[in-house]
Amino acid sequence: MRKPKRATAAKAKKGRTTSGSQSKAAPKRSAPARRRASADDGGKEAIKATIRGLRTKLKGALRRVSELEAAADTDFLLDIPNRRGFERELQRAIAYMKRYRASGALIVLDVDRLKPINDSFGHGAGDEVLKAIAATLTRQIRASDVVGRLGGDEFALLLWNLSETDAKAKAVIFEQAVDELSFVFRGQHVTAGASAGVALLGPQSDAARALEEADAAMYVRKAHRRHEPRIRLVSS
């Protein structure tokens, strides 16, 4: 009868061991808990996708803003800075000069005979003259310089590190380059010509005042050139 007792004791021990093992095992999540976890994961992914979409839209909006700002500062006909864009560049340049004690020159250049060309051959001819002048001036300057259109037949050039003598000599070069341009409209050769005025730039300069000085100097120069014909037409 003792052997059955030992067998019973062994079974009891085995039962305790099995019960202990089951108690140590991690409890399994119920089906509702698993569904809630899955829903939470799906919600997080949706939020991340929304954030990515918003960031993409923000980048596109910022790019569009930059494009619109650039367009607002650019002359649509000549693809150079307009008055707004040029004045901004001039103000930045003067701020730099004030900080680093640099210098430069501002040249305002006015086309002498654009109105007669427009009146005789139409505004399409005048636009062609303006485009040629803008291209000529751009070829005459350095990469650090700026040429812009202030409006109508008036251009402006921002030149770095020039003395008064060099700036005036440069203005003459610009005049000569424009004077040498020749156009043919309706079988007639036409020249436009230009007059340039100079204002020096430095740490004490003011953008508005510099434009006024260069503009006044340009009109003085234009008065000296009035002996030239308003428009020269030579049959081809």
Side-chain angles (χ1 to χ4, degrees):
M1 294 299 293
R2 291 180 181 178
K3 288 183 179 181
K5 289 183 180 180
R6 286 198 299 269
T8 302
K11 288 180 181 180
K13 183 178 180 181
K14 183 178 180 181
R16 289 194 299 270
T17 303
T18 303
S19 175
S21 300
Q22 289 178 348
S23 62
K24 292 179 181 179
K28 294 182 179 180
R29 290 188 295 182
S30 63
R34 288 196 296 271
R35 286 196 294 269
R36 285 196 299 271
S38 178
D40 291 342
D41 292 341
K44 291 178 181 179
E45 289 301 321
I47 292 173
K48 290 179 180 179
T50 301
I51 292 173
R52 288 194 296 268
L54 291 174
R55 285 176 176 170
T56 301
K57 291 181 179 179
L58 178 60
K59 289 180 180 178
L62 292 176
R63 183 169 57 252
R64 181 57 177 163
V65 168
S66 298
E67 292 172 353
L68 291 173
E69 287 179 344
D73 289 345
T74 303
D75 185 274
F76 73 94
L77 176 65
L78 307 181
D79 197 28
I80 59 176
N82 57 17
R83 175 179 283 273
R84 181 176 183 269
F86 185 85
E87 288 181 349
R88 177 178 294 180
E89 291 297 326
L90 180 59
Q91 291 169 353
R92 288 175 178 173
I94 291 176
Y96 181 92
M97 293 174 186
K98 289 179 179 179
R99 182 173 182 179
Y100 297 103
R101 312 296 295 180
S103 63
L106 170 66
I107 296 178
V108 170
L109 184 144
D110 190 80
V111 183
D112 289 332
R113 297 181 290 274
L114 184 64
K115 187 178 185 303
I117 292 174
N118 283 331
D119 292 343
S120 299
F121 305 106
H123 288 277
D127 290 347
E128 183 177 335
V129 171
L130 290 173
K131 290 177 182 179
I133 291 174
T136 298
L137 295 177
T138 301
R139 287 194 298 268
Q140 296 285 336
I141 63 175
R142 299 162 294 185
S144 59
D145 300 331
V146 180
V147 58
R149 183 187 183 190
L150 298 182
D153 55 1
E154 195 169 55
F155 293 82
L157 300 105
L158 170 62
L159 310 175
W160 286 91
N161 301 321
L162 290 180
S163 65
E164 182 177 3
T165 300
D166 292 338
K168 290 182 177 180
K170 195 68 175 176
V172 172
I173 291 174
F174 292 144
E175 287 181 347
Q176 292 174 345
V178 176
D179 289 345
E180 291 173 359
L181 293 175
S182 179
F183 307 89
V184 178
F185 300 123
R186 299 175 189 169
Q188 294 179 306
H189 289 278
V190 179
T191 60
S195 303
V198 179
L200 297 180
L201 300 174
Q204 305 305 319
S205 295
D206 173 78
R209 180 58 181 167
L211 282 168
E212 291 176 358
E213 292 177 358
D215 200 54
M218 180 271 294
Y219 279 108
V220 171
R221 176 62 177 163
K222 186 178 286 288
H224 292 163
R225 291 166 57 93
R226 288 191 185 280
H227 65 279
E228 298 180 0
R230 288 180 58 82
I231 184 168
R232 187 168 73 235
L233 303 176
V234 181
S235 297
S236 59

